[in-house]
Amino acid sequence: QVQLVESGGGVVQPGRSLRLSCVASGYNFGSYAVHWVRQGPGKGLEWVTIIWYDGSNKYYTDSVKGRFTISRDNSKNTVYLQMNFLRAEDTAVYYCARGASTAASTLDYWGQGTLVTVSS
Amino acid sequence: QSALTQPRSVSGSPGQSVTISCTGTSSDVGGYNYVSWYQQHPGKAPKVMIHDVSKRPSGVPDRFSGSKSGNTASLTITGLQAEDEADYYCCAGSYTLIFGGGTKLTVL
């Protein structure tokens, strides 16, 4: 069965860095895009970034451009989210999700999420 | 880019029907047939209920249906059941996505 498992969350001070990982299993990892979506405490879902199946294209929401970097290692079935210069407003549960259907527009499988807390 | 507009809350009694709207622009909802809907129970990851405007993944009850007209998409749930009580999010876009603000569905 398809599974995505996030890790790497924790408490970090403003301005510091954190790297999240998303390990996938149960499908041909190298054939699908992967998204990161976050959800602040008591808030709605916010799309963060996408990486294409082969890593050739990456897109980011405006608020994280220049601070976050998505990458993938298809030999390890893993997607990474490097988060630099973290701000309090980045505090959220971060989910990775498989992008399926045309234009990777359907998030058909999600991980359980990993909590990132940015606080001094 | 601002979030898609959804009502904050809707409610209905068991057996009734409810419709949740999702309004965007010609750059997102109106621009593509890539609208999806997600159900989220408290403390859980979201689950896709509808994709590509009106397609239902296997395992999703046929009580759930989706449609679109212009810049507004809709999710309709018929025959409401207690387990349908959750937050619902619409989502639109091609590769880069935008979510709605979410709608809390209460089953009275």
Side-chain angles (χ1 to χ4, degrees), chain B residues 64-95:
Chain B
F64 291 83
S65 63
S67 63
K68 190 185 85 166
S69 177
N71 295 337
T72 298
S74 299
L75 173 71
T76 298
I77 309 170
T78 59
L80 270 178
Q81 298 183 5
E83 58 262 36
D84 298 334
E85 184 163 296
D87 293 324
Y88 291 84
Y89 295 90
C90 62
C91 179
S94 172
Y95 297 106

Side-chain angles (χ1 to χ4, degrees), chain B residues 6-68:
Chain B
Q6 297 181 232
R8 286 202 171 217
S9 64
V10 297
S11 62
S13 299
Q16 289 187 333
S17 298
V18 295
T19 296
I20 301 172
S21 61
C22 170
T23 301
T25 69
S26 57
S27 297
D28 38 64
V29 175
Y32 312 95
N33 283 328
Y34 303 145
V35 178
S36 50
W37 290 89
Y38 300 88
Q39 176 192 66
Q40 187 180 36
H41 288 108
K44 300 294 187 181
K47 172 187 174 184
V48 61
M49 305 303 283
I50 295 289
H51 68 92
D52 296 344
V53 176
S54 59
K55 296 179 181 177
R56 202 170 42 248
S58 63
V60 173
D62 60 7
R63 303 184 294 104
F64 291 83
S65 63
S67 63
K68 190 185 85 166

